[in-house]
Every structure is written in structure tokens, then in C-alpha cells.
């Protein structure tokens, strides 16, 4: 028993083998490999216990169950909820069946989702936009009216647009696990299900703003940033402060436009998941540069629309004896910095 920690399980995903700890899900095993073989996930969140299994976008094909039982699993499985077995072989992007199924899942998610990307504050950092672009069909076969909901006010800082919601449950898990109390959840059943508060109470606890960060679409947005700017016109900068709240480490991303801080968010990893949840004071009340210690520019992946005009820049070498070239190089550097 003393050597249990040395036990590893070998799993092969799209032809790439990796050894992982027992209990690791297929999705997390794929994330350890990285790259294009990582299945998309709209509801799974590694920081939230119990998340996953709702959206089905992470479906994969298990072509070999294990070394002891090599039979394939009869149906596609949700990689975020299926743990690996020793000798398991999994197909993701190498399986036409998975690609076709994921295309259908995206079509289902978009059945009732409004086509309001041009006015949605989530545009540019929306997981559903990325999913639709990478795995969606060119057009929908749905011929009926989309479902709509009345807009409700759940607080002075958070705007709820239920018509955009895909019922991933992330905000419910977040409120359950990192706040003192939860007053919102899923009401009704079937295609009438909706995120709402009972008797329209306000969501106003110390960490309520984190439901904005975990929402993969534009259903929950920041009222203080609402309609102020497009995210690709802002400049993200990492910063920190000594926060008085015992559960908040004060590490955030500031989104600048010129010298103004338009919004404050928690820092996110490469999969769009919050690294550490932050309190509402840091998020909503500290929007001056003097409130923060600047750590440096936030690295943005080149495949993100936010990276427009934010490429890493190295000043071009110039002839030191030529003052005209020196001045031109200086102006180019300042122009790039401002962008």
C-alpha cells in the first residue's frame, strides 16, 4: 500500500500515449498532452466540484476499454466524466463519428441561442463562438421560434440574459462552493428550464462577481463594463494588491483603454478557467491604477481575437549613427505600445 502513489495508468489519445494518476478523467489526461487533441468543454470546470456532464461537447470514442477488457465502449462518452483505465485507447479528432456528433451537439446548443454577437459583451472571449466556429454547421435546420425569457435584475453589478444561457450550471456550482449562500439556481423543467432567483432576489454576496467569469457565454455580464468597449480594443494587464478579504489573493487582470481601467477580472488559464477566484471589492471597486501593483502585460494566445494589435514587439535594430532611423524606430515602438 505504501507504493500506491507510484501506480500510473497508460492511456492513448489520438495515438499519443501518456501515463496518468488513477482517477484522472479522459479530458484531464488530454489536457496534460495539450494541443488540438484536447476536447472542448462548455460545462466542465476543474475548480468546481461536480461540474461536467451537462453540455456533451467533450464526447470522445473509447476504441479500447482497457488492457484487461479491450472491448470498445458501445457509445460515445463524456470525457469530462469518464475516468481512464490502464491501456485505454481514445479517439477524439481522429474519429469521424466524434466530429459528426460534436457538430450535432453544437447545433443543439445554438437552437435557442440568439444571434446577437455584435451587441453581446462576451463577443471576442465567448466559448460558444469558438465552438461554433470550430465544430458547428454552416446553417441550422431548426425552423421554430427560439425560446425567449423576460430580462430580470439580479443585482446592481450583474446582468442576466437568460435567452443566451446554455444551462451549463457553472454559476450555480460557483455560488454553491465559494460563496456563503446561494439564492439562484435552475427553475422549471425541460425546455422551460432557466437560471433565475426565487422571487427575484439580488445576488450580492462577497464573491458573486465570479459567476460572470465562469459563464461561457454572454448570459451573465458585468454591468460596470456593459456596452463600454469591445474586448479586442482593450489592453489586458496582470496586477495584484493586498486584499483584506481572507479568501481573495488579489491577483487579477486589468483591462485598459488608454489610461482607464474599464473592468477587472480574475486571471484565467489557457482553457479559460479562473486560476483563483476574486472578491467583489477587487472586481468592482478598485478601478484605479493606483490601487494596484502592475505585474506586466497579460499574454494572449495568437489565435484569440483579443490578440489583435497586442503582438509581442521587439524594436527593430537601427543604425545608431543615423538620428532619423533612431527617431522613426522610437515612434514605431510607442505606437505599438499604445495599441
Amino acid at each position: 500500500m505504501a507504493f500506491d502513489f507510484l501506480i500510473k495508468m497508460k492511456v492513448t489519445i489520438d495515438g499519443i500515449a501518456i501515463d496518468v494518476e488513477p482517477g484522472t478523467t479522459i479530458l484531464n489526461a488530454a489536457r496534460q498532452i495539450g494541443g488540438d487533441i484536447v476536447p472542448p468543454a462548455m460545462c466542465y470546470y476543474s475548480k468546481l466540484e461536480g461540474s461536467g456532464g451537462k453540455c456533451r461537447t467533450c464526447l470522445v470514442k473509447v476504441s479500447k476499454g482497457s488492457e484487461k477488457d479491450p472491448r470498445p465502449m458501445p457509445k460515445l462518452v463524456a470525457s469530462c466524466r469518464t475516468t481512464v483505465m490502464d491501456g485505454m485507447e481514445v479517439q477524439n479528432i481522429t474519429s469521424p463519428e466524434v466530429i459528426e456528433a460534436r457538430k450535432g451537439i453544437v447545433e443543439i446548443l445554438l437552437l435557442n441561442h440568439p444571434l446577437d454577437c455584435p451587441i453581446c459583451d462576451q463577443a471576442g472571449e465567448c466559448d460558444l463562438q469558438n465552438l461554433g466556429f470550430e465544430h458547428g454547421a454552416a446553417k441550422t435546420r431548426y425552423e421554430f421560434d427560439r425560446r425567449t425569457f423576460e430580462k430580470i435584475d439580479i443585482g446592481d453589478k450583474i446582468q442576466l440574459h437568460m435567452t443566451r444561457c446554455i444551462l451549463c450550471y457553472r454559476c450555480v456550482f460557483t455560488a454553491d462552493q465559494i460563496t456563503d449562500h446561494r439564492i439562484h439556481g435552475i427553475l422549471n423543467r425541460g425546455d422551460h428550464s432557466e437560471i433565475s432567483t426565487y422571487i427575484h432576489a439580488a445576488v450580492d454576496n462577497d464573491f458573486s462577481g465570479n459567476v460572470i467569469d465562469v459563464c461561457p457565454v454572454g448570459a451573465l455580464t458585468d454591468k460596470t463594463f456593459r456596452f463600454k468597449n469591445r474586448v479586442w480594443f482593450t489592453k489586458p494587464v496582470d496586477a495584484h494588491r493586498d486584499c483584506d478579504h481572507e479568501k481573495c489573493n488579489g491577483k487579477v487582470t486589468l483591462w485598459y483603454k488608454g489610461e482607464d481601467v474599464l473592468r477587472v477580472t480574475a486571471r484565467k488559464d489557457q482553457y479559460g478557467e479562473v486560476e483563483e477566484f476574486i472578491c467583489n471589492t477587487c472586481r468592482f471597486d478598485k478601478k484605479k491604477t493606483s490601487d494596484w501593483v502592475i505585474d506586466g502585460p497579460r499574454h494572449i494566445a495568437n489565435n484569440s481575437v483579443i490578440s489583435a494589435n497586442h503582438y509581442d514587439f521587439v524594436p527593430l535594430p537601427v543604425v545608431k549613427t543615423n538620428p532619423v532611423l533612431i527617431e522613426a524606430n522610437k515612434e514605431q515602438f510607442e505606437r505599438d505600445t499604445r495599441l
Side-chain angles (χ1 to χ4, degrees):
M1 296 296 293
F3 297 96
D4 285 349
F5 67 93
L6 297 177
I7 298 176
K8 294 280 189 176
M9 290 189 173
K10 182 179 180 181
V11 58
T12 304
I13 305 176
D14 286 341
I16 302 176
I18 186 174
D19 293 328
V20 298
E21 300 287 341
T24 303
T25 62
I26 296 174
L27 176 60
N28 283 326
R31 287 184 173 184
Q32 292 183 33
I33 298 174
D36 294 335
I37 72 167
V38 181
M42 295 293 292
C43 64
Y44 174 76
Y45 217 77
S46 61
K47 311 299 188 299
L48 301 175
E49 183 180 350
S51 65
K54 311 293 190 303
C55 68
R56 321 305 288 182
T57 57
C58 67
L59 291 176
V60 294
K61 180 178 181 179
V62 178
S63 56
K64 178 181 177 182
S66 66
E67 204 64 52
K68 293 182 179 180
D69 186 0
R71 293 177 298 175
M73 292 189 179
K75 296 182 179 181
L76 303 182
V77 299
S79 61
C80 66
R81 304 288 280 182
T82 307
T83 55
V84 302
M85 300 294 290
D86 190 35
M88 177 181 282
E89 294 182 4
V90 179
Q91 292 180 320
N92 179 27
I93 59 176
T94 57
S95 170
E97 184 181 357
V98 170
I99 299 300
E100 187 64 24
R102 191 165 292 153
K103 182 178 178 181
I105 294 296
V106 175
E107 185 176 10
I108 292 174
L109 290 178
L110 291 172
L111 285 184
N112 292 299
H113 195 81
L115 301 177
D116 61 351
C117 298
I119 64 167
C120 179
D121 281 319
Q122 192 80 359
E125 50 186 1
C126 177
D127 294 339
L128 191 57
Q129 271 187 327
N130 298 334
L131 189 68
F133 178 77
E134 295 174 5
H135 302 282
K139 59 182 180 179
T140 181
R141 296 171 290 177
Y142 194 65
E143 299 177 351
F144 303 97
D145 293 335
R146 299 172 187 266
R147 67 174 189 171
T148 57
F149 295 89
E150 294 291 335
K151 295 180 181 179
I152 64 172
D153 190 358
I154 59 172
D156 63 334
K157 297 294 196 316
I158 305 171
Q159 178 69 55
L160 172 62
H161 279 275
M162 185 55 217
T163 52
R164 299 173 182 167
C165 180
I166 60 170
L167 295 176
C168 70
Y169 289 71
R170 282 182 179 179
C171 62
V172 179
F173 286 122
T174 300
D176 256 342
Q177 297 172 26
I178 72 169
T179 66
D180 296 333
H181 61 283
R182 173 173 64 86
I183 59 175
H184 80 288
I186 306 293
L187 305 184
N188 304 320
R189 294 183 177 182
D191 62 349
H192 294 286
S193 298
E194 62 175 304
I195 297 284
S196 186
T197 57
Y198 191 59
I199 318 183
H200 291 188
V203 179
D204 60 356
N205 54 67
D206 291 344
F207 279 74
S208 62
N210 290 286
V211 300
I212 299 170
D213 281 342
V214 302
C215 182
V217 294
L220 292 164
T221 52
D222 184 351
K223 280 187 177 180
T224 65
F225 178 66
R226 187 172 168 78
F227 300 139
K228 283 191 174 181
N229 217 301
R230 300 312 252 163
V231 68
W232 54 85
F233 292 141
T234 62
K235 183 175 182 179
V237 175
D238 284 342
H240 71 275
R241 63 182 288 267
D242 294 329
C243 184
D244 297 332
H245 202 294
E246 58 181 358
K247 296 181 180 179
C248 178
N249 65 3
K251 294 182 179 180
V252 303
T253 299
L254 307 179
W255 298 81
Y256 277 93
K257 181 63 175 178
E259 297 181 355
D260 298 326
V261 178
L262 297 185
R263 69 168 178 166
V264 181
T265 65
R267 298 184 188 182
K268 296 185 178 182
D269 60 19
Q270 59 179 320
Y271 300 110
E273 296 183 1
V274 170
E275 297 173 358
E276 295 288 344
F277 293 107
I278 62 174
C279 66
N280 284 1
T281 301
C282 289
R283 182 183 301 275
F284 298 121
D285 299 334
K286 302 296 181 180
K287 292 192 174 180
K288 295 181 179 179
T289 302
S290 58
D291 295 327
W292 301 93
V293 177
I294 304 299
D295 296 328
R298 180 74 174 170
H299 175 71
I300 302 296
N302 287 338
N303 60 355
S304 170
V305 67
I306 306 175
S307 67
N309 299 324
H310 294 156
Y311 297 108
D312 295 334
F313 177 76
V314 178
L316 298 174
V318 298
V319 180
K320 294 182 179 180
T321 57
N322 190 327
V324 177
L325 291 179
I326 293 176
E327 186 62 28
N329 187 75
K330 180 180 177 182
E331 291 179 1
Q332 177 62 34
F333 177 73
E334 291 178 348
R335 185 181 301 113
D336 182 89
T337 304
R338 287 196 299 273
L339 291 174

